[in-house]
Amino acid sequence: MPSVADNSSLKRKRAKVPEKASKRTKPKVSEDVGVDEGEDRQAKILQLEEGILQSKKNYNNIAILLEFASNQDDDLEVALFAAVSLCRVFLRLLASGSLSRKPGQSERETVVLQWLKGRLNDYKKLLIAALGNEATASTALTIAMRLLKAETQITSERGDATFPKQFLRDIVGALVRNRFEDVQEEFCEKYLGEYADVRLYAFEAVR
């Protein structure tokens, strides 16, 4: 599947970003990560991302990045840049096992795990919403399928052959409802024709 680390897709698609994934109160940006008007917000996004990867103490940065990614009134390129940054964050968290329950977890660790899963669900909702806008659908599809592939690989490595069916159903449902022919063709060519499991569960979702 294609990598989303390359920001070239952002240059192709610059338009309305999806609705906010959650109705929760907007996270407040603390002074140490505040974004003043004169600052380079893309650089700030990378700083927030790096903080998450360096320490669990910075997990709240995820909520700030979600706010960047879902802000329709801000710079649209910045919003998409944040969406790609979040993809890298969640891929790293999945690979490190931070989104999986472990034997002997403390109550505090369980609370953190549930919080992270909640933010991942918020992110997925944001991507599904982006599939409803023709201008952002291609980028959202690339990110969503990269995330789905990572989830599939992680469960397989753990000996749990659970496929993220619901996420794929949501993706397919959005593609069918919105009928953006170029994005539907992209899905068929890049994913449906290449991956047997995606093909199987996608046809199930359509039925």
Side-chain angles (χ1 to χ4, degrees):
M1 292 188 184
S3 171
V4 297
D6 188 341
N7 291 331
S8 61
S9 60
L10 305 186
K11 297 179 181 178
R12 297 197 329 260
K13 303 286 184 179
R14 291 186 61 187
K16 197 171 183 180
V17 293
E19 294 181 0
K20 293 180 175 58
S22 172
K23 293 183 179 179
R24 294 182 179 84
T25 302
K26 296 179 181 179
K28 295 181 180 180
V29 182
S30 58
E31 291 182 2
D32 58 327
V33 292
V35 180
D36 297 326
E37 290 183 0
E39 289 184 320
D40 183 340
R41 286 174 292 177
Q42 291 191 5
K44 181 59 64 176
I45 287 169
L46 293 177
Q47 178 185 339
L48 291 166
E49 176 186 341
E50 183 62 25
I52 296 166
L53 302 180
Q54 287 179 348
S55 173
K56 296 178 181 179
K57 295 179 181 179
N58 297 319
Y59 277 173
N60 281 333
N61 290 2
I62 295 174
I64 301 171
L65 289 176
L66 281 167
E67 180 64 17
F68 273 118
S70 61
N71 193 345
Q72 299 182 43
D73 300 322
D74 211 331
D75 187 307
L76 300 179
E77 187 170 0
V78 169
L80 288 174
F81 191 86
V84 173
S85 175
L86 279 165
C87 183
R88 290 193 294 265
V89 166
F90 282 117
L91 292 182
R92 288 282 295 273
L93 292 175
L94 283 165
S96 68
S98 299
L99 283 159
S100 303
R101 184 178 292 278
K102 301 178 183 66
Q105 272 189 334
S106 67
E107 183 177 350
R108 178 181 177 82
E109 289 172 331
T110 299
V111 170
V112 172
L113 173 63
Q114 293 304 316
W115 187 88
L116 287 174
K117 287 184 175 181
R119 303 297 71 73
L120 176 59
N121 285 334
D122 287 345
Y123 182 53
K124 288 179 178 179
K125 291 175 184 177
L126 187 150
L127 295 175
I128 297 303
L131 288 171
N133 185 299
E134 188 169 11
T136 57
S138 180
T139 299
L141 176 63
T142 299
I143 296 174
M145 294 305 294
R146 185 69 184 90
L147 191 61
L148 184 139
K149 178 183 178 182
E151 286 189 301
T152 304
Q153 290 176 333
I154 295 302
T155 57
S156 177
E157 291 171 3
R158 293 202 314 257
D160 178 8
T162 302
F163 187 88
K165 296 180 185 179
Q166 186 57 56
F167 189 29
L168 182 60
R169 287 193 192 104
D170 292 341
I171 294 169
V172 172
L175 293 174
V176 171
R177 284 193 305 274
N178 297 302
R179 300 183 180 182
F180 303 141
E181 291 185 4
D182 58 337
V183 183
Q184 289 178 339
E185 289 176 4
E186 181 180 350
F187 177 73
C188 292
E189 292 174 2
K190 291 185 178 180
Y191 309 106
L192 205 62
E194 290 291 327
Y195 302 96
D197 50 359
V198 171
R199 186 163 55 250
L200 170 64
Y201 294 117
F203 287 151
E204 284 186 3
V206 172
R207 286 199 298 267

